[in-house]
Amino acid sequence: MKQGQRSESLPLTYSPAEVAEALDCSEWWVKEQARRRRIPFIRSGSGYRFTRAHVDEIFLIFEERPGQVDTLETRGTSTRPRTSSRLDGPVVQLRARRPRRTRNAA
């Protein structure tokens, strides 16, 4: 194999900038996701590199599909069980303090 030629058996890799362009996001975001191990990548001497399989998997990781509509969410009710609250003592009316600048000025 001559210098500058690519071997057909080696996979083609993409830079973070190329992946960012394909995902329509910033290069910083791609590097940050790789650094936090949220997306697959290859670590090479020149930084992060991505194969076509990695890019396809990234698309699948961040893909969002419509789900079933939860009837409880649409009505605005909580799924938490209600608890009855008992008040042991009298209710205290809260009063706001004067702002610091007016307290110090006096």
Side-chain angles (χ1 to χ4, degrees):
M1 183 166 73
K2 295 181 182 177
Q3 188 175 3
Q5 281 185 322
R6 297 188 74 97
S7 170
E8 295 299 321
S9 62
L10 295 176
L12 177 66
T13 60
Y14 301 99
S15 70
E18 293 169 320
V19 173
E21 186 177 335
L23 294 172
D24 194 27
C25 63
S26 69
E27 182 179 353
W28 174 87
W29 184 88
V30 172
K31 288 179 179 180
E32 184 67 13
Q33 298 306 309
R35 184 182 72 80
R36 292 183 181 205
R37 308 284 196 259
R38 293 180 180 157
I39 59 175
F41 63 94
I42 297 172
R43 174 71 70 125
S44 68
S46 62
Y48 301 112
R49 301 297 290 178
F50 304 89
T51 64
R52 181 66 196 172
H54 290 152
V55 176
D56 291 339
E57 190 174 343
I58 292 168
F59 275 106
L60 291 175
I61 289 170
F62 292 103
E63 179 182 32
E64 291 188 23
R65 295 188 167 267
Q68 291 181 338
V69 177
D70 188 11
T71 56
L72 291 176
E73 280 186 31
T74 57
R75 287 187 291 176
T77 59
S78 175
T79 57
R80 286 191 323 207
R82 293 184 181 242
T83 59
S84 60
S85 60
R86 296 182 190 170
L87 300 176
D88 295 330
V91 177
V92 178
Q93 183 68 32
L94 299 177
R95 287 184 32 215
R97 292 191 295 178
R98 285 180 32 207
R100 184 178 296 158
R101 65 178 176 268
T102 59
R103 281 186 281 165
N104 293 339

